[in-house]
Structures are given as structure tokens and as C-alpha cells.
Amino acid sequence: MPALLITGGSRGIGRATALLAAQRGWSVAVNYRADAAAAQSTIAAIESRGGRALALQGEVSSEGDVVRMFEAAQAALGPLTGVVVNAGVVGPPQTLAEMSAERLKRMFDVNVLGAYLCAREAARRLSRSRGGQGGAIVLVSSIAARLGSPFEYVDYAGSKAALDTLTVGLAKELGGEGVRVNAVRPGLIDTEIHASGGQPDRAQRLGSATPMGRPGQPEEVAEAILWLLSEASSYATGAVLDIGGGR
Ligand code: NAP
């Protein structure tokens, strides 16, 4: 059974990806930060359908946590051949002029440093020259990276732009290592992330003004991630795929 690790796999897009991956035959390590009950519910949903999954607490911006998480995943599930770098946060709507240094630091710690540490660990473990089996890394960026998110969160938008650039560079570094690196850029997806930024109705409110007239569902992003993890996308690397309903 191929083994996959998903950061922030307990809720939202990560959870939908974990469920779909398990259905497609992956064993899944589900990382989360704080909500153990949500992680356990995702594990239970996978196991009740005959799948194999493991919950791993860890803060992605902590190097020690990230290394421990990858070690625990491989100890339990065997060598990883897929990693989804998905964990991310938003803040309440503010202009840059209003943002505190603490807010900016947390945004870049979690969304940039955290993603880079997880991608680094994936590169170390999947690369053939380092004893890995090759495989695929998928980074979860955002359409915010090209919209800029003015008056809401230019910090978040910039943090996601960093992931687009990482995708391009890391794909080139790992092209000869049997590891493909791609990103998805979701648009407005109906998850709890909007409530965490103080705008619980954001996906519904703004989704209706998009070309498709609705927000996306996490399962619609998961389908794209699973395609990028699969051999069906065998010649795609360094690609950044918008899943944004035309936004
Ligand atoms: P969500 O519903 O808020 O879920 C976030 C997940 O990440 C949870 O599993 C959470 O675990 C985990 N997490 C948060 N901070 C973490 C940290 N520091 N260390 C480890 N895990 C952490 O979010 P989502 O909407 O599914 O978003 C997933 C990704 O898609 C994010 O990178 C987000 O930026 C991106 N995205 C989302 C949208 C959208 O509209 N929803 C659009 C574009 C891009 P706990 O619950 O334990 O904290």
C-alpha cells in the first residue's frame, strides 16, 4: 500500500484529500495541530471504510515536530511516496497598514517556513539518491497568490506566492530524483478556514460572485490533488493548477 502524509489532514481540504486517498488505495498519515477530535474523526472515517490511517500531532513551523512527524509516518506506514503540504492559516481581514508584526510572523512561520520544512523533509525522504522510492509532492497554494487579497490578507497572499515559486524550483531540483512537485491553487472553498479568520460566511458570500456562481467543495480540490499524486499525471511537474471556478 503506498504511503501518503498530509499536513493539516484532519479538516477541510486536507480531510477530503485523506478520505479520497484512502479510497484510492493509499495508507494515510494525517497531521493536525490542535484539534485531536477532528483528526480522530478523519481516521475513524477512513478505517470504517477499510482503509489504513494514522493521526500525527505536530506544528508545521517547528522543525522538531516536522522531523518527528515524518519519522513516525514512515515507521508506521513504510516509505512515503506521497506528501501533501496543505496546512495553512489566514488572519482576520486587515490592510497591510493595520497588521502587527506578530500577525505577519505567524503567517510566514506557518504558511511559508512550515511548508518549506515539510517540503524539505519530503525531498529528503522521497529522493532516490537519498534512498527514497521517488513519488510526488503536492503543495496547496491559493488563488490569492495571483489576486493579492487586498483589504483582506496581503500577508496570506504573499505566503502562498512563495509556495508557487517553491513548486517551480523544487520540481527542477527533484526532476532527476523520481519526484514530481506540483501545486494546486484553490479558489473559495467551503471550509472552516474562513470562520477562523472571522468571516464564517466568506465562501458563500464571495462564491456567488465568481464565474461559476458558487464556492467550491473540498472534495473538488481533493480530486485535483489525487490526480497530481497519481501516475495519471506522470509528465506533470512544476505545474500550478488553479481549482478556482474561474475566479
Ligand atoms: P481548515 O479547514 O482551516 O483546516 C486547516 C488544517 O490545517 C487543519 O487540519 C489544522 O489542524 C491544520 N493546521 C493549521 N495550522 C497548522 C499548523 N501550524 N501545524 C499543523 N497543522 C495545522 O483549512 P482549509 O480551508 O482546508 O485549507 C487547507 C489549505 O488550503 C490551507 O493551506 C489554505 O491556505 C488552502 N486554501 C484554502 C482555501 C479555502 O477557501 N478554504 C482557498 C485556497 C487555499 P487543527 O484543526 O488541529 O488546527
Side-chain angles (χ1 to χ4, degrees):
M1 203 181 238
L4 173 68
L5 185 151
I6 306 175
T7 68
S10 57
R11 295 189 291 111
I13 292 168
R15 176 185 160 98
T17 304
L19 296 179
L20 189 60
Q23 195 184 313
R24 302 256 169 100
W26 293 85
S27 61
V28 189
V30 172
N31 156 254
Y32 68 100
R33 183 185 59 87
D35 189 343
Q40 282 312 326
S41 139
T42 300
I43 302 303
I46 290 172
E47 288 176 345
S48 71
R49 295 168 206 179
R52 187 166 175 218
L54 165 78
L56 292 172
Q57 194 280 330
E59 162 63 56
V60 292
S61 65
S62 156
E63 181 177 26
D65 280 14
V66 170
V67 171
R68 265 195 299 281
M69 178 166 98
F70 274 78
E71 275 168 1
Q74 298 215 129
L77 306 177
L80 292 168
T81 53
V83 174
V84 182
V85 179
N86 166 73
V89 292
V90 297
Q94 286 183 340
T95 62
L96 180 62
E98 293 167 332
M99 288 178 194
S100 68
E102 289 71 28
R103 170 189 169 132
L104 293 170
K105 188 168 181 323
R106 173 163 163 68
M107 186 64 62
F108 293 115
D109 272 356
V110 174
N111 289 8
V112 182
L113 176 64
Y116 270 68
L117 286 173
C118 292
R120 182 199 72 180
E121 218 44 42
R124 288 181 173 174
R125 285 159 199 275
L126 270 58
S127 293
R128 291 206 172 118
S129 68
R130 291 172 170 266
Q133 301 188 352
I137 301 170
V138 179
L139 293 104
V140 181
S141 171
S142 171
I143 283 204
R146 72 169 157 69
L147 297 181
S149 305
F151 308 106
E152 266 197 314
Y153 26 64
V154 293
D155 54 345
Y156 172 82
S159 75
K160 292 300 184 177
L163 298 200
D164 292 359
T165 304
L166 172 61
T167 300
V168 172
L170 191 59
K172 290 174 180 170
E173 286 189 359
L174 300 184
E177 294 283 355
V179 181
R180 294 181 299 107
V181 185
N182 294 288
V184 292
R185 283 200 300 211
L188 288 158
I189 309 299
D190 195 6
T191 73
E192 293 167 351
I193 200 169
H194 309 289
S196 76
Q199 303 188 79
D201 65 338
R202 183 174 178 271
Q204 293 298 337
R205 180 168 42 84
L206 300 180
S208 60
T210 61
M212 287 182 70
R214 65 170 179 86
Q217 293 305 313
E219 292 75 16
E220 297 179 287
V221 181
E223 284 286 353
I225 294 173
L226 262 294
W227 178 70
L228 289 169
L229 286 172
S230 79
E231 273 304 301
S233 64
S234 55
Y235 200 53
T237 196
V240 179
L241 179 58
D242 284 3
I243 308 291
R247 192 167 185 235

